[in-house]
């Protein structure tokens, strides 16, 4: 049985995010053996109460001297899809060994320079607010992560992904795919030109909307630094309502996912600028200065 | 730079369901061409806590070559068909199955147990999970391995692949519940792990 039926979450048709094949097309097709109480549609108020209870409990342990949590909780029930997908055992501490102390090498043969501009991939201009998103990728010691792959993907300006299973009835943009890549420079810098993504509805509960966001995929100098995350935009009214953003229970940690509007990055009569720096985990390997020059073994090896 | 500059890592977030048009690329799961000398299939199924296959997970592997060398070659995203870079990416299909074409990793040091480093992303999974898959052969090396020897036998089994009749490897991942795969925390902070 698909998880979201088991958990009696909202199953309205034509909303996004639920990819379980066997989910009924309409609420009327829900299995009859689900208790009536479990079929109640959960509202934003229900979810917000759950989020608040978890946030209040965290505030209390923090007040009692607990260390701040810097990462999302894997076990965060308000994000319903996480319920059956979080490990129940503590992660096992391990010291990185051999292959884990290195990362795959990426070079300019892997990524074309034009892939960092998401607005020029088609025959015309995409719809929406053109933006520049730029920043640096650093390790836990503040050193630039040079020559590594940054991948992004996002919805278009009306909040729709080009993915065939995104059935949100907002227009597709024939001039916007929403995928970009680049390799970080010697100073760890990355830069994309794109379109500000729209907010969109999803099926976690009734009236669930994701804040606008851009997905980021990053590699460090070691495989243990690998991370996928999401960049958000400042001042979004949906932050308090979103179980994915709120799975990071610490406000300072949440703030690290929000880009800064940067007027120096904004270009006259062209695009608004957002700055967002990304910090990977600390490095365990003895690090050599020449790594700041980028991946070894690039085209010129 | 001095060690006094300690920055707090950026939090991870779920990969979501729609990476499918962004992260996959041509030959992403073929670390070398299928059928080429020394190639094997590494395959398995990703399960949730109810024992159901997950249709929207994506795995990456990173490994040494057959001689145990850690390679530093570019060309993982634009494969030339000849260069072994050690990196691969496979999204699971509707039945939760992933497949890689790769080589048996060699021991990076004499007597070491060879393993492949694995990272898992999925919708509903708030942050990536690291783990390892070991080759089933060489009991002596497996017994000496620092990670495996720190686990009780039942959990240890979750990190060791099964050798298939065709010479390939089968290794399933269980995110939760009975037979839950051992996932690794390299920072020792415990953050993001099971809480309550």
């Amino acid at each position: 049985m698909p998880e979201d039926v088991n958990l009696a979450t909202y199953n309205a048709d034509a909303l996004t995010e639920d990819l379980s094949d066997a989910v009924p097309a309409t609420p009327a097709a829900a299995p009859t053996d689900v208790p009536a109480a479990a079929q109640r549609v959960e509202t934003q108020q229900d979810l917000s109460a759950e989020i608040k209870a978890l946030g209040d409990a965290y505030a209390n342990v923090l007040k009692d001297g607990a260390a701040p949590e810097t990462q999302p909780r894997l076990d965060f029930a308000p994000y319903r899809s996480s319920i059956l997908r979080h490990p129940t055992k503590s992660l096992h501490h391990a010291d990185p060994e051999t292959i884990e102390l290195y990362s795959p090498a990426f070079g300019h043969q892997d990524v074309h320079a034009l892939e960092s501009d998401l607005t020029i991939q088609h025959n015309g201009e995409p719809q929406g607010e053109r933006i520049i998103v730029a920043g640096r990728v650093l390790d836990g010691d503040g050193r630039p992560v040079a020559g590594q792959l940054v991948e992004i993907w996002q919805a278009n300006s009306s909040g729709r992904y080009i993915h065939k299973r995104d059935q949100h009835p907002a227009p597709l943009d024939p001039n916007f795919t929403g995928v970009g890549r680049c390799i970080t420079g010697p100073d760890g810098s990355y830069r994309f030109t794109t379109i500000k993504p729209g907010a969109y509805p999803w099926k976690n509960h009734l009236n669930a909307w994701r804040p606008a966001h851009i997905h980021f995929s990053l590699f460090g100098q070691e495989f243990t630094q690998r991370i996928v995350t999401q960049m958000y935009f400042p001042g979004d009214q949906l932050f308090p309502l979103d179980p994915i953003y709120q799975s990071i229970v610490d406000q300072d940690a949440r703030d690290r996912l929000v880009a800064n509007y940067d007027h120096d990055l904004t270009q006259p009569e062209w695009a608004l600028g957002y700055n967002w720096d990304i910090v990977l985990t600390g490095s365990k390997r003895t690090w050599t200065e020449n790594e700041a020059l980028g991946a070894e073994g690039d085209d010129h090896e | 730079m001095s060690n006094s500059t300690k920055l707090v890592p950026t939090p991870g977030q779920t990969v979501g369901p729609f990476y499918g048009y962004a992260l996959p690329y041509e030959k992403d799961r073929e670390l070398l061409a299928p059928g080429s000398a020394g190639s094997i299939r590494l395959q398995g199924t990703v399960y949730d806590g109810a024992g159901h296959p997950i249709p929207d997970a994506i795995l990456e592997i990173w490994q040494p070559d057959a001689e145990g060398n850690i390679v530093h070659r570019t060309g993982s995203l634009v494969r030339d068909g000849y260069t072994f870079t050690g990196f691969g990416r496979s999204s699971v299909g509707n039945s939760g199955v992933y497949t890689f074409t790769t080589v048996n990793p060699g021991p990076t040091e004499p007597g070491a147990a060879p393993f492949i480093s694995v990272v898992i992303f999925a919708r509903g999974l708030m942050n990536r999970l690291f783990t390892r898959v070991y080759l089933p052969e060489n009991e002596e090396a497996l017994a000496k391995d620092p990670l495996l020897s720190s686990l009780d036998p039942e959990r240890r089994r979750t990190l060791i692949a099964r050798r298939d009749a065709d010479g390939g490897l089968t290794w399933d991942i269980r995110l939760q519940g009975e037979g839950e795969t051992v996932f690794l925390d390299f920072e020792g902070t415990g953050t993001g792990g099971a809480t309550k």
Side-chain angles (χ1 to χ4, degrees):
Chain A
M1 185 175 288
E3 54 174 336
D4 293 330
V5 173
N6 261 346
L7 299 167
T9 54
Y10 183 53
N11 276 324
D13 194 14
L15 296 182
T16 58
E17 170 96 353
D18 194 322
L19 297 185
S20 301
D21 283 336
V23 167
T26 67
T32 51
D33 59 349
V34 175
Q39 288 189 16
R40 192 177 70 83
V41 170
E42 295 181 297
T43 64
Q44 181 68 53
Q45 285 72 22
D46 298 327
L47 267 290
S48 291
E50 279 186 43
I51 290 169
K52 182 176 184 304
L54 289 164
D56 288 349
Y58 173 69
N60 281 331
V61 297
L62 203 60
K63 206 166 57 191
D64 293 342
E69 295 183 26
T70 61
Q71 292 291 326
R73 289 195 180 165
L74 298 179
D75 177 7
F76 194 74
Y79 176 29
R80 295 295 189 236
S81 301
S82 75
I83 293 174
L84 288 171
R85 298 185 175 195
H86 71 270
T88 54
K89 297 177 166 56
S90 296
L91 304 188
H92 186 85
H93 174 71
D95 291 321
E97 293 179 81
T98 68
I99 198 81
E100 291 156 346
L101 293 168
Y102 294 85
S103 228
F106 297 100
H108 296 291
Q109 79 183 72
D110 291 302
V111 179
H112 194 283
L114 297 181
E115 289 185 72
S116 66
D117 189 340
L118 285 71
T119 69
I120 58 166
Q121 295 171 353
H122 301 278
N123 291 329
E125 289 279 326
Q127 300 289 321
E129 179 185 328
R130 196 184 294 109
I131 59 172
I132 294 161
V133 179
R136 295 174 77 206
V137 184
L138 305 169
D139 75 8
D141 293 318
R143 296 177 298 217
V145 174
Q148 279 297 353
L149 177 66
V150 181
E151 299 161 287
I152 65 169
W153 69 101
Q154 62 169 94
N156 69 22
S157 62
S158 61
R160 183 157 179 191
Y161 289 89
I162 208 154
H163 194 286
K164 64 187 172 196
R165 304 191 70 161
D166 184 353
Q167 294 296 306
H168 172 38
L172 283 168
D173 185 338
N175 292 320
F176 191 74
T177 302
V179 172
R181 293 192 192 99
C182 72
I183 302 280
T184 54
D187 58 351
S189 62
Y190 75 88
R191 182 187 177 99
F192 291 101
T193 303
T194 184
I195 296 292
K196 188 173 181 189
Y200 60 82
W202 61 306
K203 291 172 80 166
N204 192 65
H205 54 276
L206 180 63
N207 210 11
W209 290 78
R210 296 277 359 255
H213 61 277
I214 298 177
H215 295 265
F216 270 71
S217 153
L218 305 133
F219 291 79
Q221 305 287 0
E222 300 170 26
F223 198 61
T224 58
Q225 294 176 311
R226 178 86 178 91
I227 184 179
V228 167
T229 186
Q230 301 176 22
M231 186 205 91
Y232 298 89
F233 292 87
D236 198 314
Q237 304 306 308
L238 294 169
F239 285 156
L241 309 177
D242 178 36
I244 292 180
Y245 178 79
Q246 294 289 329
S247 71
I248 305 161
V249 293
D250 187 87
Q251 186 61 50
D252 289 343
R254 281 178 205 143
D255 289 345
R256 293 186 188 107
L257 293 187
V258 182
N260 295 307
Y261 172 70
D262 183 347
H263 202 64
D264 289 336
L265 194 57
T266 291
Q267 293 201 347
E269 298 170 44
W270 178 247
L272 294 176
Y274 290 89
N275 185 274
W276 187 51
D277 289 344
I278 301 145
V279 179
L280 308 180
T281 57
S283 175
K284 300 283 173 136
R285 178 162 52 96
T286 307
W287 204 77
T288 55
E289 275 306 314
N290 64 9
E291 288 181 73
L293 299 175
E296 298 169 90
D298 200 351
D299 310 23
H300 309 296
E301 72 178 57
Chain B
M1 196 166 286
S2 85
N3 285 337
S4 59
T5 317
K6 287 290 178 194
L7 303 179
V8 181
T10 302
Q13 289 270 268
T14 175
V15 74
F18 297 134
Y19 58 80
Y21 71 108
L23 295 181
Y25 56 93
E26 201 182 347
K27 299 181 188 169
D28 54 4
R29 64 199 61 193
E30 298 176 11
L31 283 74
L32 74 176
S36 56
S39 67
I40 62 161
R41 179 174 61 174
L42 167 65
Q43 64 175 345
T45 307
V46 184
Y47 295 100
D48 70 11
H52 298 130
I54 288 176
D56 40 21
I58 185 164
L59 273 69
E60 290 174 355
I61 61 170
W62 169 231
Q63 65 166 89
D65 67 16
E67 282 74 49
N69 302 307
I70 297 169
V71 296
H72 302 279
R73 303 291 297 273
T74 60
S76 288
L77 295 191
V78 182
R79 306 237 192 233
D80 66 9
Y82 297 92
T83 306
F84 181 82
T85 66
F87 177 74
R89 180 181 278 171
S90 173
S91 41
V92 303
N94 281 338
S95 55
V97 175
Y98 72 88
T99 308
F100 291 99
T101 307
T102 187
V103 294
N104 286 308
T108 50
E109 293 159 34
F115 67 85
I116 297 171
S117 192
V118 181
V119 60
I120 299 154
F121 306 93
R123 174 178 73 93
L125 178 59
M126 292 311 321
N127 207 349
R128 79 279 179 272
L129 292 171
F130 292 105
T131 184
R132 295 179 183 174
V133 54
Y134 286 84
L135 307 189
E137 293 84 13
N138 197 342
E139 284 295 338
E140 195 184 334
L142 292 174
K144 274 195 321 198
D145 181 82
L147 171 62
L148 292 180
S149 57
S150 70
L151 297 167
D152 71 49
E154 193 193 337
R155 301 220 69 209
R156 180 181 185 271
R157 270 199 292 277
T158 69
L159 300 185
I160 301 175
R162 192 167 71 238
R163 185 65 72 179
D164 302 324
D166 66 359
L169 295 166
T170 295
W171 179 66
D172 296 335
I173 295 164
R174 289 179 175 78
L175 292 180
Q176 191 181 89
E178 199 176 333
E180 182 175 305
T181 304
V182 172
F183 299 108
L184 303 177
D185 169 25
F186 291 109
E187 287 303 299
T189 59
T191 52
T195 45
K196 48 191 79 68

